Amino acid sequence: MLLILFLFVFMLAVFVGFEIITKVPQKLHTPLMSGANAVSGITIVGALTCAHADYPFLAQALGFIAIVTASINVFGGFVVTDRMLAMFGGKKRKK
Amino acid sequence: MHDFAKVLYLLATALFIFGIKQLSKVSTARRGNATAGLGMLLAIVTTLIAPGEGDQVIHLSWPLIVAGILIGGVLGTWMARRVAMTGMPEMVALFNGFGGLASLLVALAVFWGDYLAAGDLAAAPSAEAEGLGLTGPVVWSAAVILSILVGGVTLTGSLVAMAKLMGKVGDKLLPARHLITLGLLAAAVLFGWLGGWAAAGGWAAFALILLTIVSFALGVHLVLPIGGADMPVVISLLNSYSGIAASMAGFVIGNSLLIVAGALVGASGLILTDQMCKGMNRTLLHVLVGGFGGDSVSEDARDYSNIRSYSPEDAAADLQLADKVIIVPGYGMAVSQAQHVVKELGDLLMARGCEVKYAIHSVAGRMPGHMNVLLAEADVPHDLLFPTEEINGDFKSADVAVVVGANDVVNPAAIEDPNSKIAGMPILHVHEARTVHMIKRSLSPGYAGIKNPLFERDNCFMCFGDGKEFLQGVVDELKNA
């Protein structure tokens, strides 16, 4: 039962994804991509639950590497996107 | 507590949707990034307070978590702060690859922890899956396999794309390319089937390791033959993949937040990919199959007559008399890092009362929006930048079109020669300008490997040289005049 709910959620999310982004102005192509990329780092939530104290060593090790790589994706992604968008803003930039 | 955690997850989901929506509008983009970031923070904190969606209790291993987030966070932040805007395509590709790797590892770790520890298939399909009432091993196995496959392709595909962007790897065409692709896909299906359903215990694990290797090979193999100029398509497609991988990982751990966030990224990435394809008048399939990306240069591509060349002094003399100038940057500007001198030139001309606009083709450069990032770095006001459809009417009234390292996107054959390889591709109509200054290293063809008849026209002058050096010469000349 829950599975079918998950599939519903998945399908609706795909439609929402298509709907909220229809025509992106060219200027925002890169920031949108890198921002979305940071959001895909949500897999960090999965990685965190793999750092299970009851898991065998190998699974924990895999989980640990997953946390590291997902963190790089999340932190790096948001920071780099913000840097770019700050540049686009232009106004607040000191000469 | 668990219901409360679910509400927080719901809130995080809403923040992601809002954030991505805001990211697609100029006025709200920066806030959108912060909104999505807030959603991520909420998601992480919620997970740490109340891990797992079912009723089972997960004992988190705190040292691993703290160390992992610290290492990854510091490393990611440091790289993101350090990278120059010119290195942005590589950076985005790298982060993307890490995201794919994380999803792959999550699937493997859960498989190892829940399935292998449980011992056999019947007892298997993950504590989470049972707690959530997933219908059994079939779907769960499918999710594990897809996470591994898509995650692996995202990782190595992104790394190859990065190496290509750095110029370390060329475009390679293997003779039996499509056969190899089919072979790898068949192997993926076989190992996936063995690991997910047919084999048990250690053998299943072994099959999944083989599947991981196959997915790595597939990522390399798929991206390797794609031409450098098709990179905007590939990068945004890989971005979409990383979302799909995260979504599949969501099915693996039975977490709707991952499913939604991943699907959002997957869908938005596909839209961007589609926009890139339209910019080249090509279908996604064409790009993936390699179309003209890696084709050899056609026979007559280097045969030109009626070529006139300009020195920086000649170019400066033209520009001095111009009332309206349109600057057309391409990948060459990125290579020679000429964006600052381009801005200097623009400012000088505007100070003389000349009207200056920038024409940006949607696939100029190596990633979506590449030129916009570079020009923003050089502080060019963004209201001077215009996309193809808005600027094309302007070329007729322009005195000079300064093309900095672009070629195929200004090739008039696209609209004049129906037999041309790039026929139908939207181009910038620079040939309609009174004079065209074509700043380029040589007469060599662009990625399409075809001749550009623009070079032979009477209103076109070739400015041979490195973009930055040539324009510096022009700027110096203008200053002295």
Side-chain angles (χ1 to χ4, degrees), chain B residues 126-147:
Chain B
S126 118
E128 282 94 330
E130 273 178 14
L132 291 163
L134 287 188
T135 48
V138 175
V139 174
W140 188 74
S141 295
V144 169
I145 286 154
L146 284 174
S147 292

Side-chain angles (χ1 to χ4, degrees), chain B residues 75-160:
Chain B
L75 215 58
T77 311
W78 177 72
M79 286 193 285
R81 285 189 178 279
R82 215 179 117 266
V83 65
M85 285 301 141
T86 40
M88 202 51 82
E90 292 94 322
M91 188 88 283
V92 172
L94 183 65
F95 285 155
N96 199 42
F98 280 138
L101 175 61
S103 295
L104 178 152
L105 290 172
V106 167
L108 279 180
V110 173
F111 182 83
W112 239 266
D114 286 347
Y115 169 76
L116 272 192
D120 72 315
L121 208 66
S126 118
E128 282 94 330
E130 273 178 14
L132 291 163
L134 287 188
T135 48
V138 175
V139 174
W140 188 74
S141 295
V144 169
I145 286 154
L146 284 174
S147 292
I148 294 175
L149 189 62
V150 182
V153 169
T154 307
L155 171 68
T156 54
S158 299
L159 291 181
V160 172

Side-chain angles (χ1 to χ4, degrees), chain B residues 107 166 189 225 227 264 286 328 416 452 471:
Chain B
M166 292 162 68
V189 171
L264 283 175
H286 262 103
V328 183
E416 289 166 0
N452 190 340
L471 283 172

